[in-house]
Amino acid sequence: QVQLLQSGAEVKKPGASVKVSCMISGHSPVDLFMHWVRQAPGKGLEWVGGFDPENGEAIFAQKFEGRVTMTDDTSTDTAHLELSSLRSEDSAVYYCATGLMGATPFDYWGQGTLVTVSS
Amino acid sequence: SYDLTQPPSVSVSPGQTATISCSGEKLGDEYISWYQQRPGQSPVLVIYQDSKRPSGIPERFSGSSSGNTATLTISGTQPVDEADYYCQAWDTTTFVIFGGGTKLTVL
């Protein structure tokens, strides 16, 4: 059973960067295509991007290109999402999500990390 | 950009059948997944590849797809099914797309 445990809530100022972590257990991370999905307060799900550990390639929603970095730390079985140049619209719960059937669907989700951007 | 369109809300009486639609111009070429999200919780996969149910999901949840519309059906809806439901597709150019979500109310 795959389990995803995310890092705690963050408060950042506009223009800063945030790094959210997602520790993977119950399955080899090298087999998991890890995605990041966010949800602004009262809004729907929005895909941010995904990282394929098989080929080391990242894919992003066009609106985040240039601001998002996704990495995989195999020594700690932890995936990371870093979002830079934060603005108030980036305030949201960020989820890591993955599955065992390829790039999608997402069988497993983290508990979410609340990121608040405020001056 | 490619969009998936869902009704914002659906209401159903307990024990009745709820249907939630998801339409998109490329749905005929793609599989749809459906996720349930209760307030304050992470989403849960309830249907994948249009009509398959993951282990542990009740049989009252079913999915279908025809043309450019996919449908999530909940038969014998229970109060515990009250939640937001999202459809999701994979497209080779925009990759992961979510519908806007449908709030299911069980009155």
Side-chain angles (χ1 to χ4, degrees):
Chain A
Q1 176 82 348
V2 177
Q3 292 189 314
L4 306 176
L5 182 63
Q6 297 185 225
S7 51
E10 302 265 11
V11 179
K12 296 291 182 181
K13 293 194 182 303
S17 297
V18 68
K19 193 170 188 176
V20 180
S21 302
C22 174
M23 191 185 324
I24 304 150
S25 61
H27 197 277
S28 171
V30 299
D31 297 332
L32 297 176
F33 198 133
M34 187 63 71
H35 293 266
W36 294 89
V37 176
R38 75 179 188 180
Q39 187 170 37
K43 301 296 185 184
L45 302 175
E46 180 179 31
W47 179 71
V48 176
F51 183 80
D52 186 351
E54 209 169 283
N55 58 21
E57 288 188 7
I59 53 175
F60 307 94
Q62 193 171 11
K63 66 182 286 187
F64 297 107
E65 285 206 54
R67 290 206 298 142
V68 169
T69 304
M70 290 176 290
T71 55
D72 210 23
D73 184 344
T74 54
S75 67
T76 59
D77 290 347
T78 303
H80 302 279
L81 169 74
E82 187 165 13
L83 184 62
S84 62
S85 302
L86 289 169
R87 30 209 190 230
S88 58
E89 311 88 87
D90 293 318
S91 295
V93 174
Y94 288 75
Y95 295 101
C96 56
T98 190
L100 300 177
M101 291 179 269
T104 65
F106 308 137
D107 304 75
Y108 304 101
W109 294 70
Q111 83 276 22
T113 296
L114 176 63
V115 174
T116 303
V117 183
S118 173
S119 54
Chain B
S1 64
Y2 174 35
D3 293 323
L4 296 178
T5 302
Q6 297 181 234
S9 62
V10 167
S11 297
V12 66
S13 300
Q16 299 303 301
T17 297
T19 58
I20 299 173
S21 62
C22 173
S23 61
E25 61 182 19
K26 301 181 186 178
L27 280 196
D29 301 326
E30 300 162 354
Y31 281 130
I32 280 287
S33 300
W34 291 92
Y35 300 88
Q36 174 194 69
Q37 187 181 33
R38 296 190 176 105
Q41 296 187 19
S42 301
V44 173
L45 178 68
V46 295
I47 293 290
Y48 67 99
Q49 289 182 10
D50 293 345
S51 60
K52 296 181 180 178
R53 225 176 331 105
S55 171
I57 300 302
E59 289 184 11
R60 62 180 181 274
F61 287 87
S62 63
S64 63
S65 184
S66 178
N68 293 336
T69 301
T71 303
L72 173 69
T73 301
I74 309 172
S75 305
T77 306
Q78 299 182 7
V80 70
D81 300 328
E82 188 162 287
D84 293 327
Y85 291 85
Y86 296 90
C87 59
Q88 176 257 313
W90 170 272
D91 174 75
T92 52
T93 51
T94 49
F95 306 116
V96 177
I97 312 121
F98 285 101
T102 299
K103 182 177 181 61
L104 176 67
T105 301
V106 183
L107 301 162

